[in-house]
Amino acid sequence: MALSTSQPVQNNVQSSPGTGWPRRTAPVKSSTCPSLNRHINLYPLSNYKFGTKEPLFEKDPSVPARFQRMRDEFEKIGMRRSVEGVLIVHKHGLPHVLLLQLGTTFFKLPGGELNPAEDEVEGLKRLLTETLGRQDGVQPEWTVEDTIGNWWRPNFEPPTYPYIPPHITKPKEHKRLFLVQLPDKALFAVPKNYKLVAAPLFELFDNSQGYGSIISSLPQALGRFNFIYM
Amino acid sequence: MNNNDKLDDLDHEYSRSEWTTDEDISDCIISIGVSDLIDVTFFENYESGQSKGFCIITLQSEHSVKLILNKLPNKKLYGKSPIVTYVTFEAYLFFQTKSNTQPMPSLLINQNIPDISNRVMQESVSENPLLLMQEQSTSILMKDMQLNSSENSYNQGLPRSSDRYLLNRLNLSINAYKQGLHKKFQAMPLSRHDLLSFDVGNHSSNLAYTQDISIQGQQLPKYATSFSNTPSSVTCKHNEMEISPQKFNEIIRRNRIISSSAIARAITNSENGEFSDAMETLITAIKLIKESKIANHESSNIIVRSLQDVLHIIEIKKL
């Protein structure tokens, strides 16, 4: 298939008058199939306002406590289901991902654990509102657009992978990432113990040391979207 | 098979034992009449999550341990007989080497006997100094051993470099420790002992490190003397059980053997330029010690810090 389409192009190049420059390809007619051409509107960072609210503490006081609770809950309710939202704005003509910063070196996407049997989209909206929702009772408008990725934790340990290793029949956590379309303007209330940062994609790209394997792979995962800078 | 001559899905690069699942193993164990399996934990490549083909089986009773040692080697897992052994660091190194160099990466298993009524058994088990007892347990290593000479062309890549995240964390802990700030270090919460004995701990840590390095050429280090600041009893992390001083010293001795073998091995590896292997060995040793019954005690922290120091040195060498 790839061969048959590239052949005529080559012929065209050969038959064109020799300007020395390759011919510009004709404008590509984009497919109308929505899954092949995903448009996502991005609004400038300056459209959004950020306030603060009461601190929102993690459920577990330490890393060992986190895995111990995961272990305990696995016995009772099985694999943990987590959802996280990827919220994107633009600045200087580049998408920026909103990340919550805890301390100086730890970054995470807004989201969290689903309740047993909770719908993942509803759960994500609940968690986003808990984390970033404003205080004045106005309900934030979250539009969950698309799945960006799935990550699994094979053991009660830090590593997660975008697949289930084949020797694992019972993964301990399934984390799903969603692209969330932001409204054109919004007010977010950020818990006092966090900072909200807008990280440019080039900062995240190939930087698992700084952001972990999930966040640092977002530039690749987001590459399939056609971002419209509003 | 013949229809797929053109299909190179890279599966032939890996042995069947790398695809063996935890369920395959538990089914196999149940099929020989063992019903008290507690856990199956695989050794994995940290970066990819891929199985190394060996695992640790944890069992409830010594009876089951014996049953498995006797019967499991005769079972076939995907046409191959597994190797089953007690968990020792030597066995780990052996399987690790196999999984790095052989066409057939291995299948490894450990086995634990949790606590309480097992005191007698533990005593008898602990006569074997090479036995790694994790928590209250007897352990078994199991490995798929059949070598396939027809797969000489097997070309398994070098183990990937150890995970940056883990190294970061270890570096963090080393730095925090060096600055005397380690009680604030979240990932490794310290017990009350540590706060009280910080100065002593810091001092002994250097001692331990020098000692470990200096004995690297010897066969088996002998730690006849008990640890200087050994308390008469220690609260166990997992089951709140008191450990006798005798038992405690024995576990310390075992941990120190693990540590010194790992350091010796890591140094040899890094001298040969095999830094990833060296780091993996150290990381595994740290993990084993952190999982031991006395993981919360200062002596374990000291050993872990020595290992982390060496890890840090090797990491710098690697760069």
Side-chain angles (χ1 to χ4, degrees):
Chain A
M1 199 54 187
L3 198 69
S4 66
T5 51
S6 67
Q7 213 81 36
V9 173
Q10 215 169 21
N11 288 341
N12 284 346
V13 171
Q14 280 167 357
S15 63
S16 65
T19 61
W21 291 96
R23 269 182 137 199
R24 251 218 138 98
T25 39
V28 181
K29 201 180 162 201
S30 47
S31 164
T32 50
C33 173
S35 65
L36 291 181
N37 212 342
R38 297 286 286 122
H39 292 284
I40 301 293
N41 292 338
L42 303 187
Y43 298 94
L45 177 60
S46 55
N47 275 21
Y48 302 98
K49 293 197 165 48
F50 303 95
T52 57
K53 62 180 174 189
E54 287 310 298
L56 180 70
F57 295 109
E58 302 238 328
K59 279 187 176 174
D60 310 295
S62 70
V63 173
R66 186 159 70 96
F67 288 117
Q68 191 53 50
R69 186 169 63 87
M70 199 183 287
R71 225 175 252 278
D72 296 344
E73 291 178 357
F74 188 81
E75 297 287 316
K76 290 180 211 134
I77 56 175
M79 181 182 69
R80 175 173 297 180
R81 296 182 307 138
S82 301
V83 288
E84 290 180 347
V86 177
L87 283 51
I88 311 177
V89 299
H90 79 82
K91 198 181 168 187
H92 308 305
L94 185 77
H96 287 53
V97 178
L98 298 187
L99 300 176
L100 292 160
Q101 183 179 4
L102 193 58
T104 53
T105 57
F106 182 68
F107 296 89
K108 65 176 193 178
L109 291 164
E113 300 160 30
L114 295 177
N115 295 323
E118 185 179 28
D119 176 77
E120 48 191 15
V121 170
E122 290 313 306
L124 177 61
K125 289 179 177 175
R126 168 180 67 80
L127 289 157
L128 289 175
T129 302
E130 279 172 21
T131 315
L132 294 172
R134 48 204 281 180
Q135 297 289 75
D136 57 9
V138 177
Q139 280 304 307
E141 178 190 334
W142 311 110
T143 311
V144 179
E145 279 282 350
D146 212 327
T147 305
I148 291 182
N150 291 285
W151 292 75
W152 285 270
R153 186 186 305 281
N155 303 302
F156 300 110
E157 287 168 15
T160 55
Y161 306 98
Y163 45 81
I164 306 174
H167 63 288
I168 297 290
T169 56
K170 296 176 196 70
K172 306 306 184 286
E173 181 180 359
H174 176 196
K175 182 180 284 188
R176 199 149 205 220
L177 273 57
F178 293 95
L179 180 64
V180 178
Q181 172 82 65
L182 292 174
D184 61 340
K185 288 188 170 65
L187 168 67
F188 299 118
V190 183
K192 268 180 192 153
N193 53 330
Y194 287 102
K195 236 164 69 181
L196 192 67
V197 298
L201 290 190
F202 59 66
E203 163 72 12
L204 305 180
F205 179 65
D206 205 21
N207 191 357
S208 62
Q209 194 161 18
Y211 295 92
S213 48
I214 297 182
I215 292 176
S216 65
S217 70
L218 284 176
Q220 292 92 325
L222 294 172
R224 72 186 183 92
F225 295 103
N226 183 14
F227 291 115
I228 316 275
Y229 301 106
M230 305 299 281
Chain B
M1 267 297 245
N2 291 337
N3 295 336
N4 287 334
D5 281 350
K6 299 285 182 200
L7 177 65
D8 185 357
D9 62 1
L10 300 179
D11 273 11
H12 64 277
E13 302 248 338
Y14 302 103
S15 78
R16 179 61 238 185
S17 57
E18 293 204 338
W19 308 111
T20 301
T21 68
D22 40 14
E23 254 171 28
D24 292 335
I25 286 168
S26 59
D27 288 351
C28 191
I29 285 171
I30 290 165
S31 78
I32 58 174
V34 171
S35 55
D36 57 359
L37 175 69
I38 294 173
D39 189 36
V40 175
T41 306
F42 283 85
F43 285 75
E44 294 156 357
N45 177 314
Y46 195 89
E47 289 212 341
S48 68
Q50 187 194 352
S51 165
K52 289 181 175 175
F54 53 103
C55 63
I56 294 184
I57 304 172
T58 306
L59 298 152
Q60 182 81 35
S61 66
E62 194 182 13
H63 174 72
S64 298
V65 172
K66 289 194 167 144
L67 208 59
I68 282 188
L69 277 169
N70 287 335
K71 290 195 175 174
L72 207 53
N74 303 325
K75 295 294 275 192
K76 298 265 183 191
L77 273 169
Y78 298 99
K80 288 185 291 178
S81 301
I83 297 179
V84 187
T85 97
Y86 282 108
V87 174
T88 65
F89 195 62
E90 286 72 16
Y92 162 74
L93 292 177
F94 172 70
F95 290 161
Q96 176 67 36
T97 311
K98 282 252 183 281
S99 88
N100 286 341
T101 59
Q102 294 289 340
M104 297 279 135
S106 29
L107 169 91
L108 179 124
I109 303 184
N110 163 30
Q111 168 170 2
N112 290 354
I113 299 169
D115 87 317
I116 318 194
S117 57
N118 285 333
R119 267 171 202 258
V120 175
M121 179 201 57
Q122 288 163 24
E123 296 299 332
S124 66
V125 162
S126 63
E127 283 166 19
N128 176 358
L130 296 182
L131 177 64
L132 269 193
M133 290 174 54
Q134 306 202 332
E135 302 166 10
Q136 306 278 333
S137 60
T138 319
S139 301
I140 288 189
L141 291 175
M142 170 167 147
K143 169 176 158 117
D144 233 332
M145 168 75 157
Q146 183 175 334
L147 305 180
N148 190 336
S149 54
S150 71
E151 290 191 76
N152 285 338
S153 62
Y154 171 76
N155 178 23
Q156 194 190 16
L158 290 170
R160 304 196 201 181
S161 64
S162 293
D163 186 76
R164 287 179 186 166
Y165 163 79
L166 192 59
L167 289 176
N168 272 350
R169 236 182 47 187
L170 293 175
N171 279 342
L172 260 185
S173 74
I174 290 166
N175 291 337
Y177 150 66
K178 283 181 178 156
Q179 294 159 15
L181 293 173
H182 65 318
K183 52 183 166 181
K184 288 188 176 173
F185 184 60
Q186 275 197 336
M188 302 172 64
L190 301 174
S191 67
R192 267 163 286 153
H193 283 302
D194 302 304
L195 299 181
L196 293 176
S197 62
F198 174 65
D199 287 332
V200 177
N202 197 359
H203 180 62
S204 339
S205 160
N206 293 333
L207 272 183
Y209 176 63
T210 334
Q211 223 175 19
D212 285 344
I213 293 293
S214 64
I215 51 102
Q216 55 160 309
Q218 293 174 19
Q219 282 283 49
L220 261 188
K222 297 190 179 79
Y223 292 104
T225 52
S226 66
F227 210 72
S228 55
N229 53 355
T230 303
S232 57
S233 69
V234 186
T235 306
C236 175
K237 175 170 124 194
H238 290 286
N239 49 23
E240 312 285 310
M241 213 179 95
E242 297 280 290
I243 306 172
S244 70
Q246 191 190 354
K247 185 83 195 155
F248 181 80
N249 287 336
E250 216 160 292
I251 299 171
I252 286 183
R253 194 176 61 104
R254 197 167 294 124
N255 281 348
R256 299 195 62 114
I257 291 173
I258 296 172
S259 156
S260 50
S261 316
I263 289 173
R265 166 100 183 174
I267 289 172
T268 313
N269 278 344
S270 59
E271 278 168 0
N272 295 331
E274 298 156 342
F275 296 114
S276 302
D277 283 359
M279 289 193 293
E280 203 167 342
T281 304
L282 290 168
I283 288 167
T284 305
I286 290 169
K287 197 178 160 194
L288 289 172
I289 287 160
K290 282 186 176 169
E291 283 169 3
S292 75
K293 263 199 292 189
I294 56 163
N296 285 340
H297 188 255
E298 177 63 19
S299 71
S300 300
N301 287 327
I302 290 169
I303 293 174
V304 166
R305 276 184 229 130
S306 309
L307 288 163
Q308 286 170 342
D309 281 345
V310 181
L311 187 65
H312 186 57
I313 292 165
I314 289 174
E315 195 206 359
I316 290 168
K317 266 187 159 181
K318 188 188 176 190
L319 297 176

